[in-house]
Amino acid sequence: MIKVSGLKKSFGKANILNGIDAEIAKGEVIVVIGPSGSGKSTFLRCLNLLETPTGGEIEYEGQLVTDRRVNINELRQSMGMVFQQFNLFPHKTVLENVTLAPIKVLNMSKAEAEKIGLELLRRVGLEEKRDAYPNRLSGGQKQRVAIARALAMRPHVMLFDEPTSALDPEMVGEVLDVMKSLAKEGMTMVIVTHEMGFAREVGDRLLFIDGGMIVEQGPPREVFGNPQHPRTKEFLSKVL
Amino acid sequence: MELAYHWDFSFLNDYGSYYWTGIRMTLEVSLIAVLSGLVLGTLVSFLRLSGLWPLRLIGSVYVEIIRGTPLIVQLFLFNYGLPIFLGFDIGIFTAAYLALTINSAAYIAEIMRAGIQAVDKGQMEAARSLGMSRSLAMRQIILPQAFKNVLPALGNEFVVVIKESSVLSVIGFAELTYQANAIRGATYISLEPMLISALIYFVLIFTMSKLLGIGERRLKASD
């Protein structure tokens, strides 16, 4: 579904990604871990071109994303993204946050968008908050709305950029639960996270990124249980 | 030696209506200048925030020239200069509205630029990640938030424009200062008519500032 080859990204003189090769199959749940500053968020943000790669290629559903001629807006419609800082629209209600893009981008009727939106809000357990503004929500609730907002576009893949890192500990669970149920339904997901327990439980494959390269990858149980590379060992010994 | 001045406000009986016309004209021209300045200024702020340097340059040149020259000079240029290039008379009204709008737009452009830049970067990213185009995201997500950010500053700009609009009297635009001056000419009383106009300006602006303060607190409370 997604094929990344030789992906490079630098900001000025700083090389963040130094040639990443990865393939993501439909229905796969990929968990990306690594020390901070390793480039794992940048890798994720390159997938939907929030960052413009400085080298290499990304292919998504047979389209070359890194081609200049590609319609980036159309491409992003089928790639949902969830941010660390939620980034809900503060001047819109919860339901409006969820229905805005379907109405304005997919030209869906308001009634249909609200029907789908309410269904999604029910799914993340926030139907009763439909008319609340984001500032009235807790962090966990905000992130669940953000997930519903991304799902409203009926994406083929969901990108999660440290979705629980800005949350109070007691709210991490409710967000991870929503993500688990998504994974169970077969959603293709790429998740950058520090939640090792979650990575082990939900991930089909784990990518360990350090220094802008994939240092090691494999099924989470194998990587966690028997890391091969010294840097993986060092990192895991610190976080586990 | 004794300096005795005989205060004389009797002209108010005959000329009171001059002030009413003046107040109306002052408020009208100021409001219209700020509203059309908001439209023009927002467009200029887009230029200044553009990714293309020629557009940025045009925006900067506009703002710097307007802010770097006195309003009264701009007014003269519009009133006496523009007809020469256009080949026909544009009239005092057009010159006055044009000069005040174009002047105010330069200041509003800077206000809007700051307001847009104050919106969190994640807002644009979230909007774009949902497939919105840059302009759709701007209209739906960034501008409404930016506008809310700058409402107090826009109100302030309105107050400033009310005061600045007194300059329009020099080309014969019949706003408040012009009217006071007209009364002076007709009655040969020089101090009192101006004192009355000063009082009116003060009441207008003081009331406006207080209202803005209340509006601002309401806005903050809703956050």
Side-chain angles (χ1 to χ4, degrees):
Chain A
M1 185 181 213
I2 302 177
K3 193 174 168 200
V4 180
S5 40
L7 181 65
K8 284 184 187 169
K9 173 70 184 176
S10 45
F11 295 98
K13 277 182 185 158
N15 299 317
I16 306 298
L17 299 180
N18 298 307
I20 290 206
D21 299 293
E23 261 188 77
I24 296 158
K26 196 166 163 41
E28 214 178 1
V29 177
I30 303 286
V31 180
V32 184
I33 62 168
S36 57
S38 60
K40 52 193 193 305
S41 280
T42 306
F43 164 63
L44 193 75
R45 290 162 58 84
C46 279
L47 294 181
N48 67 350
L49 292 197
L50 279 186
E51 304 291 352
T52 313
T54 34
E57 285 184 349
I58 301 170
E59 217 183 288
Y60 169 65
E61 295 186 325
Q63 261 192 308
L64 198 59
V65 176
T66 36
D67 189 332
R68 278 178 163 274
R69 286 163 300 181
V70 80
N71 182 341
I72 183 63
N73 297 328
E74 205 176 294
L75 189 129
R76 283 179 180 143
Q77 287 167 26
S78 65
M79 301 176 110
M81 187 160 202
V82 175
F83 300 86
Q84 181 177 353
Q85 297 297 338
F86 328 125
N87 295 342
L88 291 183
F89 306 134
H91 59 304
K92 304 271 182 196
T93 65
V94 164
L95 185 59
E96 285 168 349
N97 261 276
V98 177
T99 58
L100 183 68
I103 292 172
K104 296 288 177 189
V105 178
L106 301 179
N107 292 317
M108 208 181 269
S109 74
K110 194 171 175 235
E112 198 190 348
E114 289 193 341
K115 189 168 152 266
I116 294 171
L118 284 172
E119 230 165 78
L120 287 166
L121 286 179
R122 194 173 313 138
R123 190 180 160 164
V124 299
L126 289 169
E127 199 190 2
E128 80 282 7
K129 296 283 185 194
R130 53 176 287 179
D131 296 321
Y133 282 88
N135 59 3
R136 299 276 168 232
L137 304 181
S138 72
Q141 291 172 330
K142 281 181 192 165
Q143 197 59 300
R144 283 186 281 153
V145 173
I147 294 174
R149 176 176 71 177
L151 289 176
M153 293 296 285
R154 304 222 182 275
H156 306 162
V157 57
M158 285 283 285
L159 312 174
F160 291 87
D161 189 6
E162 304 198 25
T164 57
S165 296
L167 295 178
D168 290 335
E170 74 269 23
M171 290 168 187
V172 170
E174 63 193 64
V175 172
L176 292 184
D177 285 342
V178 171
M179 292 168 64
K180 271 181 214 164
S181 81
L182 262 182
K184 262 188 209 134
E185 281 168 26
M187 174 65 80
T188 312
M189 298 161 78
V190 186
I191 306 163
V192 173
T193 187
H194 294 290
E195 296 292 329
M196 297 303 157
F198 173 80
R200 191 197 305 249
E201 187 187 346
V202 179
D204 293 321
R205 189 148 49 97
L206 194 120
L207 306 183
F208 173 69
I209 293 188
D210 193 11
M213 311 240 272
I214 296 180
V215 172
E216 187 166 349
Q217 61 175 304
R221 264 163 232 287
E222 276 177 33
V223 178
F224 281 126
N226 186 20
Q228 299 300 308
H229 199 281
R231 273 192 287 173
T232 320
K233 284 179 191 164
E234 191 199 336
F235 174 72
L236 289 178
S237 73
K238 280 184 196 152
V239 297
L240 286 182
Chain B
M1 205 171 93
E2 194 179 329
L3 255 178
Y5 185 77
H6 283 283
W7 294 96
D8 181 6
F9 288 98
S10 60
F11 65 90
L12 280 173
N13 292 324
D14 293 332
Y15 295 96
S17 67
Y18 280 44
Y19 285 116
W20 288 115
T21 313
I23 291 170
R24 214 194 63 226
M25 298 277 276
T26 288
L27 289 179
E28 248 175 45
V29 73
S30 304
L31 190 65
I32 290 174
V34 167
L35 289 181
S36 34
L38 179 60
V39 176
L40 182 60
T42 305
L43 293 176
V44 174
S45 74
F46 289 166
L47 291 179
R48 297 212 68 184
L49 292 167
S50 165
L52 303 169
W53 71 263
L55 296 184
R56 274 204 307 277
L57 184 69
I58 294 171
S60 304
V61 166
Y62 174 84
V63 170
E64 294 306 335
I65 286 182
I66 295 297
R67 293 202 306 181
T69 54
L71 173 60
I72 193 165
V73 174
Q74 294 162 16
L75 184 65
F76 284 148
L77 286 174
F78 278 108
N79 194 44
Y80 305 121
L82 215 49
I84 296 173
F85 288 101
L86 294 175
F88 57 87
D89 196 8
I90 59 169
I92 293 169
F93 269 85
T94 316
Y97 277 91
L98 216 54
L100 205 55
T101 296
I102 284 176
N103 181 273
S104 186
Y107 292 90
I108 292 177
E110 288 302 276
I111 294 173
M112 283 307 293
R113 183 168 70 115
I116 289 170
Q117 282 174 327
V119 176
D120 187 85
K121 217 172 112 264
Q123 292 289 311
M124 181 55 101
E125 289 189 347
R128 296 304 304 274
S129 81
L130 290 163
M132 290 187 209
S133 65
R134 176 166 280 279
S135 74
L136 181 63
M138 205 67 190
R139 272 176 286 138
Q140 289 289 329
I141 305 302
I142 308 298
L143 279 183
Q145 294 181 58
F147 191 66
K148 197 179 166 189
N149 288 347
V150 303
L151 265 183
L154 283 179
N156 233 0
E157 174 65 14
F158 182 47
V159 167
V160 169
V161 168
I162 289 178
K163 285 189 278 186
E164 300 249 282
S165 68
S166 60
V167 160
L168 301 178
S169 63
V170 299
I171 61 163
F173 185 85
E175 46 66 70
L176 188 51
T177 302
Y178 178 90
Q179 302 287 2
N181 215 21
I183 298 170
R184 184 176 63 87
T187 59
Y188 301 106
I189 306 171
S190 50
L191 179 58
E192 289 88 336
M194 279 302 156
L195 264 182
I196 296 288
S197 81
L199 183 70
I200 293 173
Y201 274 118
F202 177 76
V203 170
L204 283 180
I205 284 154
F206 185 77
T207 319
M208 209 69 75
S209 307
K210 285 290 154 199
L211 287 175
L212 283 170
I214 294 170
E216 208 175 321
R217 276 196 295 280
R218 288 245 173 96
L219 214 61
K220 278 211 181 98
S222 76
D223 273 337

